Amino acid sequence: MLIFLQAAADVAETTQGTGSLSVVDLILKGGWVMIPIIILSIIAVAIFVERYLTIKNADKVPDNFMQNIRDYVVNGNIPAAKALCEQTDSPIARMIEKGIMRLGKPLKNIDVAIENVGKLELYKLEKRLPTLATISGAAPMIGFLGTVLGMIRAFFEISSAGNNIDPGMLAGGIYQAMITTAAGLIVGIIAFIGYNALVAMVEKVVYKMEATTVDFIDLLNEPVS
């Protein structure tokens, strides 16, 4: 957000022709409404980074993981298959581990147990994503609120000026009020893009989880040679 605000400051400085503006100047001119917007921007960045690393790690599964599981199960080496799942830190491994723990029971029970673990893992992956989605909508609204309050203040000052109305008074008030709208939109857009990127990553992991579950159930359905 600071990069975009600096760009806005550069544009304002160019159009004014005199004086200079910095990011700090814009923030101060935006008033107290800039405080919650900045706080939301920090929260959004923190959530995105934390979720990105978590989901990225969840997507990492050794290429030969399922092949090793297949070999262990076919050869009856269940403890080795379970140990491999415990050593692999991923939602897929935890789902397969639950299925292995249910071996010997009806396939329907195994499938349900794996599905329940999958739902829990999905919940963990989507943790804090609703907050990021809320920020993408709340930040622009807070920015609009700051603009409305700024416009009210600007028109009040003009009405209080009586016959001493200065056009620059109105222009300055409006320009200051629009700062909060710009800041809110910047935070909202960044949060919205980040949210959708994370959702796409989660969907990719879910697809792998479903495909692996099908492979495991098919393995159990294979006839014993």
Side-chain angles (χ1 to χ4, degrees), residues 34-83:
M34 292 294 293
I35 296 177
I37 293 178
I38 292 175
I39 293 176
L40 289 179
S41 69
I42 296 174
I43 295 175
V45 171
I47 291 177
F48 177 81
V49 173
E50 188 272 335
R51 286 292 89 191
Y52 177 83
L53 296 176
T54 300
I55 299 172
K56 195 72 174 177
N57 183 64
D59 192 32
K60 294 179 180 179
V61 179
D63 296 334
N64 59 347
F65 174 76
M66 279 307 297
Q67 184 59 49
N68 290 335
I69 292 293
R70 174 182 293 273
D71 294 340
Y72 290 142
V73 172
V74 170
N75 295 326
N77 194 354
I78 305 304
K82 184 179 178 181

Side-chain angles (χ1 to χ4, degrees), residues 35-171:
I35 296 177
I37 293 178
I38 292 175
I39 293 176
L40 289 179
S41 69
I42 296 174
I43 295 175
V45 171
I47 291 177
F48 177 81
V49 173
E50 188 272 335
R51 286 292 89 191
Y52 177 83
L53 296 176
T54 300
I55 299 172
K56 195 72 174 177
N57 183 64
D59 192 32
K60 294 179 180 179
V61 179
D63 296 334
N64 59 347
F65 174 76
M66 279 307 297
Q67 184 59 49
N68 290 335
I69 292 293
R70 174 182 293 273
D71 294 340
Y72 290 142
V73 172
V74 170
N75 295 326
N77 194 354
I78 305 304
K82 184 179 178 181
L84 177 60
C85 293
E86 293 175 347
Q87 295 168 5
T88 306
D89 183 17
S90 76
I92 291 177
R94 286 185 282 272
M95 291 171 61
I96 300 302
E97 180 183 4
K98 178 60 69 173
I100 292 174
M101 294 173 63
R102 291 292 188 273
L103 289 178
K105 296 185 178 181
L107 288 178
K108 181 62 178 178
N109 292 351
I110 297 176
D111 191 19
V112 171
I114 294 176
E115 182 180 352
N116 290 337
V117 174
K119 291 179 179 179
L120 179 60
E121 293 297 331
L122 177 60
Y123 171 77
K124 293 178 180 179
L125 291 176
E126 293 180 339
K127 188 178 180 181
R128 285 188 280 275
L129 289 187
T131 302
L132 190 59
T134 301
I135 292 175
S136 69
M141 297 303 294
I142 295 176
F144 292 145
L145 173 62
T147 297
V148 171
L149 294 177
M151 294 292 292
I152 293 174
R153 183 173 61 252
F155 281 108
F156 174 78
E157 291 177 354
I158 290 176
S159 64
S160 300
N163 296 328
N164 300 322
I165 298 178
D166 182 5
M169 184 185 301
L170 178 60

